[in-house]
Amino acid sequence: MTHTRFAFIRARWHADIVDRALDGFQELIPAEQIDVFDVPGAFEMPLLAKELAKTGKYTAIACAAFVVDGGIYRHDFVAQAVVDGLMQAGMETNVPVLSVSLTPHHYQETDHHNAIYRAHFVDKGREAANAALMITKTRQEALRA
């Protein structure tokens, strides 16, 4: 493990589920190497990711949100805008911006669904940490070549 810093942005909508992604992320990357930032919802993540990337402090930035159908707006449009914004932030700053932004086809606020998605976010957080470590290593090797 290199001594690098990672940023982890988490949306506060469904925080009880989203926070599990940080748990998974910290299974592979020590908490001492992670700066955690909270935003109101998924839509605010791309701007903060871009601003954090521009500081030059972070090797990679992971962003976690749970975008569900609230019945009054098209959640799929929000999710697409967020993922596009995160990709754009990474491309403009040359800092990897990883998405743990999930949009389930079916979600109901039941104990059963909440348990499923909490566990899923732990897995996705772990996958984001693996991706952050891998892209960090690959980029370091590419720069040495």
Side-chain angles (χ1 to χ4, degrees), residues 30-44:
E32 302 79 42
Q33 289 181 249
I34 305 166
D35 293 332
V36 179
F37 301 90
D38 292 338
V39 294
F43 206 71
E44 292 79 21

PDB file of all heavy atoms in Angstrom, residues 30-44:
ATOM      1  N   PRO A  30      -7.077   1.935   4.691  1.00  0.00           N
ATOM      2  CA  PRO A  30      -7.187   2.391   6.075  1.00  0.00           C
ATOM      3  C   PRO A  30      -7.902   3.744   6.195  1.00  0.00           C
ATOM      4  O   PRO A  30      -7.691   4.649   5.374  1.00  0.00           O
ATOM      5  CB  PRO A  30      -5.734   2.522   6.528  1.00  0.00           C
ATOM      6  CG  PRO A  30      -4.952   1.675   5.589  1.00  0.00           C
ATOM      7  CD  PRO A  30      -5.687   1.708   4.282  1.00  0.00           C
ATOM      8  N   ALA A  31      -8.714   3.868   7.222  1.00  0.00           N
ATOM      9  CA  ALA A  31      -9.480   5.098   7.455  1.00  0.00           C
ATOM     10  C   ALA A  31      -8.567   6.323   7.528  1.00  0.00           C
ATOM     11  O   ALA A  31      -8.972   7.423   7.137  1.00  0.00           O
ATOM     12  CB  ALA A  31     -10.309   4.966   8.733  1.00  0.00           C
ATOM     13  N   GLU A  32      -7.337   6.143   7.994  1.00  0.00           N
ATOM     14  CA  GLU A  32      -6.397   7.259   8.115  1.00  0.00           C
ATOM     15  C   GLU A  32      -6.013   7.842   6.760  1.00  0.00           C
ATOM     16  O   GLU A  32      -5.485   8.949   6.687  1.00  0.00           O
ATOM     17  CB  GLU A  32      -5.116   6.821   8.841  1.00  0.00           C
ATOM     18  CG  GLU A  32      -5.321   6.250  10.217  1.00  0.00           C
ATOM     19  CD  GLU A  32      -5.785   4.787  10.195  1.00  0.00           C
ATOM     20  OE1 GLU A  32      -5.264   3.977   9.401  1.00  0.00           O
ATOM     21  OE2 GLU A  32      -6.699   4.467  10.966  1.00  0.00           O
ATOM     22  N   GLN A  33      -6.251   7.101   5.692  1.00  0.00           N
ATOM     23  CA  GLN A  33      -5.912   7.571   4.345  1.00  0.00           C
ATOM     24  C   GLN A  33      -7.130   8.109   3.595  1.00  0.00           C
ATOM     25  O   GLN A  33      -7.022   8.452   2.421  1.00  0.00           O
ATOM     26  CB  GLN A  33      -5.298   6.428   3.535  1.00  0.00           C
ATOM     27  CG  GLN A  33      -3.915   6.032   3.989  1.00  0.00           C
ATOM     28  CD  GLN A  33      -3.362   4.908   3.135  1.00  0.00           C
ATOM     29  OE1 GLN A  33      -3.208   3.785   3.592  1.00  0.00           O
ATOM     30  NE2 GLN A  33      -3.082   5.218   1.895  1.00  0.00           N
ATOM     31  N   ILE A  34      -8.256   8.197   4.268  1.00  0.00           N
ATOM     32  CA  ILE A  34      -9.501   8.594   3.606  1.00  0.00           C
ATOM     33  C   ILE A  34     -10.058   9.854   4.255  1.00  0.00           C
ATOM     34  O   ILE A  34     -10.233   9.913   5.467  1.00  0.00           O
ATOM     35  CB  ILE A  34     -10.555   7.472   3.711  1.00  0.00           C
ATOM     36  CG1 ILE A  34     -10.021   6.150   3.173  1.00  0.00           C
ATOM     37  CG2 ILE A  34     -11.832   7.880   2.969  1.00  0.00           C
ATOM     38  CD1 ILE A  34     -10.871   4.950   3.550  1.00  0.00           C
ATOM     39  N   ASP A  35     -10.343  10.848   3.427  1.00  0.00           N
ATOM     40  CA  ASP A  35     -11.075  12.027   3.876  1.00  0.00           C
ATOM     41  C   ASP A  35     -12.513  11.861   3.408  1.00  0.00           C
ATOM     42  O   ASP A  35     -12.758  11.624   2.224  1.00  0.00           O
ATOM     43  CB  ASP A  35     -10.479  13.306   3.291  1.00  0.00           C
ATOM     44  CG  ASP A  35      -9.081  13.591   3.832  1.00  0.00           C
ATOM     45  OD1 ASP A  35      -8.777  13.172   4.971  1.00  0.00           O
ATOM     46  OD2 ASP A  35      -8.292  14.226   3.107  1.00  0.00           O
ATOM     47  N   VAL A  36     -13.462  11.972   4.341  1.00  0.00           N
ATOM     48  CA  VAL A  36     -14.874  11.746   4.044  1.00  0.00           C
ATOM     49  C   VAL A  36     -15.602  13.082   3.976  1.00  0.00           C
ATOM     50  O   VAL A  36     -15.425  13.939   4.846  1.00  0.00           O
ATOM     51  CB  VAL A  36     -15.524  10.839   5.118  1.00  0.00           C
ATOM     52  CG1 VAL A  36     -16.995  10.613   4.828  1.00  0.00           C
ATOM     53  CG2 VAL A  36     -14.776   9.512   5.206  1.00  0.00           C
ATOM     54  N   PHE A  37     -16.418  13.228   2.924  1.00  0.00           N
ATOM     55  CA  PHE A  37     -17.191  14.446   2.704  1.00  0.00           C
ATOM     56  C   PHE A  37     -18.650  14.082   2.491  1.00  0.00           C
ATOM     57  O   PHE A  37     -18.957  13.148   1.751  1.00  0.00           O
ATOM     58  CB  PHE A  37     -16.673  15.193   1.467  1.00  0.00           C
ATOM     59  CG  PHE A  37     -15.223  15.578   1.583  1.00  0.00           C
ATOM     60  CD1 PHE A  37     -14.219  14.724   1.139  1.00  0.00           C
ATOM     61  CD2 PHE A  37     -14.861  16.790   2.149  1.00  0.00           C
ATOM     62  CE1 PHE A  37     -12.881  15.069   1.247  1.00  0.00           C
ATOM     63  CE2 PHE A  37     -13.521  17.145   2.271  1.00  0.00           C
ATOM     64  CZ  PHE A  37     -12.523  16.282   1.812  1.00  0.00           C
ATOM     65  N   ASP A  38     -19.537  14.826   3.120  1.00  0.00           N
ATOM     66  CA  ASP A  38     -20.976  14.597   2.983  1.00  0.00           C
ATOM     67  C   ASP A  38     -21.596  15.660   2.090  1.00  0.00           C
ATOM     68  O   ASP A  38     -21.239  16.842   2.174  1.00  0.00           O
ATOM     69  CB  ASP A  38     -21.661  14.644   4.347  1.00  0.00           C
ATOM     70  CG  ASP A  38     -21.276  13.483   5.245  1.00  0.00           C
ATOM     71  OD1 ASP A  38     -20.825  12.451   4.721  1.00  0.00           O
ATOM     72  OD2 ASP A  38     -21.427  13.613   6.472  1.00  0.00           O
ATOM     73  N   VAL A  39     -22.518  15.226   1.240  1.00  0.00           N
ATOM     74  CA  VAL A  39     -23.301  16.132   0.397  1.00  0.00           C
ATOM     75  C   VAL A  39     -24.777  15.787   0.580  1.00  0.00           C
ATOM     76  O   VAL A  39     -25.107  14.669   0.976  1.00  0.00           O
ATOM     77  CB  VAL A  39     -22.894  16.032  -1.096  1.00  0.00           C
ATOM     78  CG1 VAL A  39     -21.473  16.542  -1.302  1.00  0.00           C
ATOM     79  CG2 VAL A  39     -23.033  14.612  -1.616  1.00  0.00           C
ATOM     80  N   PRO A  40     -25.675  16.719   0.281  1.00  0.00           N
ATOM     81  CA  PRO A  40     -27.104  16.448   0.492  1.00  0.00           C
ATOM     82  C   PRO A  40     -27.613  15.244  -0.293  1.00  0.00           C
ATOM     83  O   PRO A  40     -28.317  14.402   0.251  1.00  0.00           O
ATOM     84  CB  PRO A  40     -27.792  17.734   0.036  1.00  0.00           C
ATOM     85  CG  PRO A  40     -26.747  18.783   0.101  1.00  0.00           C
ATOM     86  CD  PRO A  40     -25.443  18.093  -0.158  1.00  0.00           C
ATOM     87  N   GLY A  41     -27.277  15.178  -1.567  1.00  0.00           N
ATOM     88  CA  GLY A  41     -27.764  14.090  -2.411  1.00  0.00           C
ATOM     89  C   GLY A  41     -26.781  13.792  -3.521  1.00  0.00           C
ATOM     90  O   GLY A  41     -25.714  14.407  -3.619  1.00  0.00           O
ATOM     91  N   ALA A  42     -27.152  12.859  -4.368  1.00  0.00           N
ATOM     92  CA  ALA A  42     -26.270  12.424  -5.453  1.00  0.00           C
ATOM     93  C   ALA A  42     -25.925  13.550  -6.415  1.00  0.00           C
ATOM     94  O   ALA A  42     -24.802  13.624  -6.923  1.00  0.00           O
ATOM     95  CB  ALA A  42     -26.930  11.272  -6.215  1.00  0.00           C
ATOM     96  N   PHE A  43     -26.878  14.411  -6.674  1.00  0.00           N
ATOM     97  CA  PHE A  43     -26.698  15.459  -7.669  1.00  0.00           C
ATOM     98  C   PHE A  43     -25.548  16.402  -7.324  1.00  0.00           C
ATOM     99  O   PHE A  43     -24.937  17.002  -8.198  1.00  0.00           O
ATOM    100  CB  PHE A  43     -28.008  16.235  -7.819  1.00  0.00           C
ATOM    101  CG  PHE A  43     -28.166  16.891  -9.153  1.00  0.00           C
ATOM    102  CD1 PHE A  43     -28.398  16.139 -10.298  1.00  0.00           C
ATOM    103  CD2 PHE A  43     -28.096  18.264  -9.273  1.00  0.00           C
ATOM    104  CE1 PHE A  43     -28.547  16.740 -11.529  1.00  0.00           C
ATOM    105  CE2 PHE A  43     -28.246  18.884 -10.506  1.00  0.00           C
ATOM    106  CZ  PHE A  43     -28.468  18.118 -11.638  1.00  0.00           C
ATOM    107  N   GLU A  44     -25.220  16.514  -6.043  1.00  0.00           N
ATOM    108  CA  GLU A  44     -24.142  17.410  -5.607  1.00  0.00           C
ATOM    109  C   GLU A  44     -22.757  16.773  -5.668  1.00  0.00           C
ATOM    110  O   GLU A  44     -21.752  17.455  -5.491  1.00  0.00           O
ATOM    111  CB  GLU A  44     -24.421  17.906  -4.185  1.00  0.00           C
ATOM    112  CG  GLU A  44     -25.609  18.841  -4.067  1.00  0.00           C
ATOM    113  CD  GLU A  44     -26.965  18.156  -4.067  1.00  0.00           C
ATOM    114  OE1 GLU A  44     -27.036  16.942  -3.766  1.00  0.00           O
ATOM    115  OE2 GLU A  44     -27.967  18.826  -4.364  1.00  0.00           O
TER     116      GLU A  44
END
